[in-house]
PDB file of all heavy atoms in Angstrom:
ATOM      1  N   ASP G1503      46.707  45.610 139.839  1.00 75.00           N
ATOM      2  CA  ASP G1503      47.232  44.840 140.975  1.00 75.00           C
ATOM      3  C   ASP G1503      48.302  43.875 140.526  1.00 75.00           C
ATOM      4  O   ASP G1503      49.204  43.519 141.318  1.00 75.00           O
ATOM      5  CB  ASP G1503      46.084  44.003 141.634  1.00 75.00           C
ATOM      6  CG  ASP G1503      45.156  44.957 142.337  1.00 75.00           C
ATOM      7  OD1 ASP G1503      45.629  45.993 142.876  1.00 75.00           O
ATOM      8  OD2 ASP G1503      43.930  44.696 142.352  1.00 75.00           O
ATOM      9  N   ALA G1504      48.226  43.458 139.282  1.00 73.00           N
ATOM     10  CA  ALA G1504      49.181  42.454 138.801  1.00 73.00           C
ATOM     11  C   ALA G1504      50.619  43.005 138.875  1.00 73.00           C
ATOM     12  O   ALA G1504      51.570  42.246 138.936  1.00 73.00           O
ATOM     13  CB  ALA G1504      48.850  42.078 137.368  1.00 73.00           C
ATOM     14  N   MET G1516      47.056  34.528 149.482  1.00 82.00           N
ATOM     15  CA  MET G1516      46.392  34.955 148.222  1.00 82.00           C
ATOM     16  C   MET G1516      46.257  36.459 148.249  1.00 82.00           C
ATOM     17  O   MET G1516      45.510  37.056 149.016  1.00 82.00           O
ATOM     18  CB  MET G1516      45.008  34.272 148.141  1.00 82.00           C
ATOM     19  CG  MET G1516      44.249  34.665 146.876  1.00 82.00           C
ATOM     20  SD  MET G1516      45.253  34.476 145.388  1.00 82.00           S
ATOM     21  CE  MET G1516      45.283  32.713 145.241  1.00 82.00           C
ATOM     22  N   THR G1517      47.061  37.132 147.381  1.00 84.00           N
ATOM     23  CA  THR G1517      47.009  38.595 147.343  1.00 84.00           C
ATOM     24  C   THR G1517      46.202  39.036 146.158  1.00 84.00           C
ATOM     25  O   THR G1517      45.944  38.225 145.216  1.00 84.00           O
ATOM     26  CB  THR G1517      48.422  39.165 147.208  1.00 84.00           C
ATOM     27  OG1 THR G1517      48.938  38.670 145.980  1.00 84.00           O
ATOM     28  CG2 THR G1517      49.314  38.722 148.339  1.00 84.00           C
ATOM     29  N   ALA G1518      45.874  40.309 146.134  1.00 82.00           N
ATOM     30  CA  ALA G1518      45.141  40.888 144.947  1.00 82.00           C
ATOM     31  C   ALA G1518      46.025  40.752 143.744  1.00 82.00           C
ATOM     32  O   ALA G1518      45.555  40.465 142.634  1.00 82.00           O
ATOM     33  CB  ALA G1518      44.856  42.377 145.239  1.00 82.00           C
ATOM     34  N   GLY G1519      47.347  40.941 143.890  1.00 83.00           N
ATOM     35  CA  GLY G1519      48.305  40.825 142.788  1.00 83.00           C
ATOM     36  C   GLY G1519      48.263  39.416 142.219  1.00 83.00           C
ATOM     37  O   GLY G1519      48.165  39.250 140.980  1.00 83.00           O
ATOM     38  N   LYS G1520      48.333  38.421 143.098  1.00 84.00           N
ATOM     39  CA  LYS G1520      48.290  37.058 142.619  1.00 84.00           C
ATOM     40  C   LYS G1520      47.043  36.744 141.857  1.00 84.00           C
ATOM     41  O   LYS G1520      47.030  36.131 140.792  1.00 84.00           O
ATOM     42  CB  LYS G1520      48.472  36.086 143.777  1.00 84.00           C
ATOM     43  CG  LYS G1520      49.907  35.894 144.214  1.00 84.00           C
ATOM     44  CD  LYS G1520      49.957  34.906 145.364  1.00 84.00           C
ATOM     45  CE  LYS G1520      51.366  34.839 145.928  1.00 84.00           C
ATOM     46  NZ  LYS G1520      51.384  34.204 147.262  1.00 84.00           N
ATOM     47  N   GLN G1521      45.939  37.200 142.466  1.00 85.00           N
ATOM     48  CA  GLN G1521      44.622  36.944 141.823  1.00 85.00           C
ATOM     49  C   GLN G1521      44.551  37.540 140.423  1.00 85.00           C
ATOM     50  O   GLN G1521      44.129  36.944 139.469  1.00 85.00           O
ATOM     51  CB  GLN G1521      43.524  37.578 142.685  1.00 85.00           C
ATOM     52  CG  GLN G1521      42.876  36.487 143.566  1.00 85.00           C
ATOM     53  CD  GLN G1521      41.824  37.115 144.488  1.00 85.00           C
ATOM     54  OE1 GLN G1521      41.785  38.353 144.708  1.00 85.00           O
ATOM     55  NE2 GLN G1521      40.988  36.257 145.003  1.00 85.00           N
ATOM     56  N   GLU G1522      45.067  38.762 140.369  1.00 86.00           N
ATOM     57  CA  GLU G1522      45.011  39.496 139.086  1.00 86.00           C
ATOM     58  C   GLU G1522      45.880  38.798 138.013  1.00 86.00           C
ATOM     59  O   GLU G1522      45.504  38.618 136.881  1.00 86.00           O
ATOM     60  CB  GLU G1522      45.463  40.948 139.274  1.00 86.00           C
ATOM     61  CG  GLU G1522      45.269  41.829 138.068  1.00 86.00           C
ATOM     62  CD  GLU G1522      43.811  41.901 137.597  1.00 86.00           C
ATOM     63  OE1 GLU G1522      42.895  41.563 138.337  1.00 86.00           O
ATOM     64  OE2 GLU G1522      43.623  42.315 136.445  1.00 86.00           O
ATOM     65  N   ARG G1523      47.058  38.394 138.453  1.00 86.00           N
ATOM     66  CA  ARG G1523      47.975  37.699 137.528  1.00 86.00           C
ATOM     67  C   ARG G1523      47.366  36.376 137.025  1.00 86.00           C
ATOM     68  O   ARG G1523      47.463  36.031 135.844  1.00 86.00           O
ATOM     69  CB  ARG G1523      49.350  37.466 138.174  1.00 86.00           C
ATOM     70  CG  ARG G1523      50.194  38.738 138.203  1.00 86.00           C
ATOM     71  CD  ARG G1523      51.626  38.432 138.492  1.00 86.00           C
ATOM     72  NE  ARG G1523      51.841  37.987 139.885  1.00 86.00           N
ATOM     73  CZ  ARG G1523      51.975  38.842 140.913  1.00 86.00           C
ATOM     74  NH1 ARG G1523      51.958  40.161 140.727  1.00 86.00           N
ATOM     75  NH2 ARG G1523      52.118  38.370 142.120  1.00 86.00           N
TER      76      ARG G1523
END
Side-chain angles (χ1 to χ4, degrees):
D1503 290 326
M1516 180 49 74
T1517 61
K1520 279 181 187 163
Q1521 261 177 343
E1522 188 58 17
R1523 282 194 291 276

